[in-house]
Amino acid sequence: MTDASRVGLALAYNCVQILYPEGLSGSSVTGRQVVLRRGWLLPSDLFAAQNIHNNIDFVTVTMASRKMPEWAEPLGRPWRVQQKVEPTVGVVVTEGTVEIVFSGTTTPAGVVAVWLDDMPRGGAPSAAYAVTAQDTPATVAAALAAALTGGVSNGATVSVPGRVLNGHAGGYGQSVRVTRRQAQLYRVSIWTADATARETLASVLDTALAEQSWISTLDGREAQLRFQSVEDVDTMQNEALYRRDYFYELVFDTLQVQWASEMLCGIGNLSGEDGAAVSFGEVAPGTTNQTVTAALDAMQAVVAAQAAATAYPGLGVDQFGTVVAAA
C-alpha cells in the first residue's frame, strides 16, 4: 500500500538516480555536491558551515497545495490476485501417517494442514502450521502433533495412534483492490547559490523526467507522471540564492492488500434423495491451533521491502528526509 508521502519519496529517489547516475558514492552530473530531500529546506541548509553558500546544491520534493482532478476507482472495487507464493514444503501420506518434507535447499515456506480421515470420533479433528525459515521437518511435525488430540511426532512424521491421518501443503496468494485513485501535485525545487549550476541541474532533471511517463513506487507498482509547469523563484537573489520549481502531477492508487493461504481444509453438506444432509470433507483447524496470521504479516512486510529495494536499490532517508545511501 502507498500514500502521497511515499509517492513523493519515490519521486525523490528517482531524482537521485538521475543526478547521481553512479550512485551516491559517485559524482553528481554537475560535479558539485547535490543534496536530495523529501521535504523543505532546513535552517542549517542556509546558515550552517556546510550550506548552500559553500558550493552545495539542494533539490527538494514537496507536495503542492493545488486542487487536483478526481479520479474514479474501478467500479465495485474488485479484488484481484496479484501474485502467488508456491509452497516449498510438502507432505507424504503413508498408511495413515503424514511425513513432512522440504524441497532441497530452498527457504521453507507454506502452510501444512493435517486432519483425521476417520471422523467423527471426537478430539481435535485437524491442525495447521505456517512454516517459517527457521523450521525443520521435525519442528513442523512436532507443532502439528501438539495441536492434535493424541498426536505423536517421530522425527518428520506425524501420526495419531489408532486413527487415519491425512495432510496437504499449500502456498500463499496476495489479493489487492483499488480503494482510491488520486492525483497529487508535487514541487521539485532546485536551490543553489550558482545560477549556472541551476541551469545545469534543471536541464538534466527536466530532460530525464520528460522521458518518463511512469515512475516506480515503493509498493512495487507505478504512478503516472505528468508535467504541469515550471517557474523561477528569484526573490532571494539579494542573498545569492537561486531557485527553480518544477510541478509534476502523479496519479497513483491507494490499495488494500490481503495475503491468504490456499484452501487446505473444508467441510460441506449434500442433500440426499430423502432430504437427509450428508457431510463431507474435514473440519478446519480451530482457534486454538497456530494460525497463519503472523506468517502472512511477515510476508507482506518482506514483499514490500523487496519491492522498494528492487526499484531504488541502496537508497534510504534519514530523520530529516535527506536521501542517503542505505546501510
Side-chain angles (χ1 to χ4, degrees):
M1 180 175 177
T2 194
D3 56 22
S5 177
R6 292 180 63 78
V7 170
L9 182 57
L11 180 57
Y13 285 164
N14 195 285
C15 292
V16 169
Q17 292 181 332
I18 294 170
L19 298 180
Y20 283 89
E22 298 178 359
L24 287 174
S25 59
S27 299
S28 72
V29 292
T30 63
R32 294 159 57 96
Q33 182 180 352
V34 183
V35 176
L36 275 293
R37 179 169 297 132
R38 168 66 183 94
W40 210 247
L41 288 184
L42 301 174
S44 58
D45 300 331
L46 298 172
F47 306 114
Q50 190 179 22
N51 60 26
I52 289 179
H53 298 294
N54 290 322
N55 298 320
I56 298 176
D57 305 322
F58 287 78
V59 175
T60 60
V61 178
T62 56
M63 284 185 277
S65 56
R66 186 181 301 175
K67 181 174 177 58
M68 303 305 295
E70 295 182 358
W71 291 75
E73 69 273 1
L75 185 64
R77 297 180 177 179
W79 286 96
R80 292 184 174 89
V81 177
Q82 180 166 276
Q83 60 177 306
K84 293 182 178 181
V85 177
E86 297 298 329
T88 59
V89 59
V91 300
V92 177
V93 181
T94 307
E95 297 180 353
T97 65
V98 176
E99 180 185 4
I100 311 300
V101 293
F102 284 3
S103 301
T105 58
T106 308
T107 302
V111 181
V112 180
V114 293
W115 61 90
L116 296 173
D117 255 359
D118 56 351
M119 287 182 61
R121 287 181 53 181
S126 61
Y129 183 82
V131 180
T132 67
Q134 292 73 38
D135 274 316
T136 65
T139 61
V140 175
L144 291 170
L148 290 168
T149 301
V152 176
S153 65
N154 182 12
T157 302
V158 187
S159 63
V160 178
R163 307 292 295 273
V164 177
L165 197 63
N166 205 340
H168 181 68
Y172 301 97
Q174 183 193 57
S175 299
V176 301
R177 67 173 178 174
V178 177
T179 56
R180 183 176 69 229
R181 181 164 290 163
Q182 68 187 79
Q184 176 62 50
L185 190 68
Y186 292 87
R187 177 190 295 108
V188 178
S189 301
I190 298 169
W191 309 74
T192 178
D194 187 324
T196 303
R198 178 177 69 175
E199 298 305 317
T200 303
L201 286 171
S203 176
V204 172
L205 272 177
D206 186 35
T207 300
L209 290 176
E211 295 177 351
Q212 301 184 47
S213 298
W214 301 83
I215 67 169
S216 298
T217 53
L218 303 186
D219 60 352
R221 295 172 67 88
E222 291 187 326
Q224 188 175 15
L225 180 69
R226 297 180 173 188
F227 172 78
Q228 295 295 305
S229 64
V230 59
E231 62 184 22
D232 282 341
V233 183
D234 290 336
T235 55
M236 301 179 71
Q237 281 190 13
N238 59 336
E239 300 179 36
L241 183 61
Y242 302 90
R243 170 180 156 195
R244 179 169 296 171
D245 289 350
Y246 286 90
F247 292 91
Y248 295 94
E249 177 192 75
L250 280 168
V251 182
F252 59 94
D253 293 335
T254 297
L255 304 176
Q256 185 177 358
V257 180
Q258 286 188 354
W259 281 92
S261 65
E262 294 178 338
M263 183 174 178
L264 299 171
C265 301
I267 192 169
N269 291 310
L270 294 175
S271 296
E273 294 181 357
D274 57 356
V278 179
S279 64
F280 65 92
E282 63 277 358
V283 177
T287 56
T288 57
N289 289 307
Q290 187 240 25
T291 65
V292 300
T293 303
L296 296 177
D297 290 344
M299 180 172 292
Q300 183 171 342
V302 169
V303 169
Q306 290 175 342
T310 300
Y312 304 103
L315 297 179
V317 289
D318 63 14
Q319 66 269 35
F320 303 111
T322 303
V323 180
V324 296

